[in-house]
Amino acid sequence: MASEKAKKTILKFDTEDDVAVALAKYTADLSQRFIQEKGSFNVVLSGGTLIDTMRYLTQAPHKESVDWSKWNIFWLDERVVPLEHKDSNYKLAYDGFLSKVSIPGGQIFPINDKKSPEGAAEDYEALHRDLVERKILPLSDATGFPKFDLMLLGMGPDGHVASLFPNHPQRNEKERWVTFITNSPKPPPPRITYTFPVINSSSEIAMVVTGAELATAVKDVLGNPNSNLPAAEVSPQGLLTWFLDKDAASKL
């Protein structure tokens, strides 16, 4: 369950397009803030419909005003398939977002797609530890886990976030930065994923949830203080901002 101390804002919009407009401004504003504060912007992307909802970042005025050269890109979770595979979150992000903005290639950090799920998880964690050593990725003073500036999260109808599913042990991992799953209830089965200690060490998290099929899970996570869904555990060090369209918020 999310900490009672977590600061949470719930934004409701009429349409998914309104969500997309607001999400672009929110992300661009955070980019400017973190670059002014620390010289870089470390962003975690997820899969699903999120990349499409980020579409206005690739258009004026944000495409021109954002300092893309200071962004570093990571993945919340990834399917263990070749990066060019149709199921790859990297390919989804590349086709819909990364190919349309000018983030340097050396600042985009996909998984090693040549390894097993366990090997890919170990490799991705080692990559992060190297970036910590190189002072590219800071650690949270409060938790000792990597502290990202912004995580952009979605949620499944079962309340899962990342590849942390109900009734699967990965959601309870407290030591690893990155773990793996070989029996995901949502295909494809093999995946790697950040753990909740990493997710909750973030400065800012946006939960971007649109569509009527998610209304029941939204109601549980936001309306039930005893919710046992994984999404109810999302509790960043800074602000958690929910972006909901009318359909997703229809049962609140």
Side-chain angles (χ1 to χ4, degrees), residues 55 65 81 110 112 119-120 124 165 247:
R55 60 189 175 273
S65 65
V81 295
N112 184 334
Y124 209 47
F165 293 92
D247 289 341

Side-chain angles (χ1 to χ4, degrees), residues 195-207:
T195 59
F196 269 123
V198 172
I199 293 170
N200 289 339
S201 295
S202 299
S203 292
E204 306 283 331
I205 292 180
M207 287 285 296

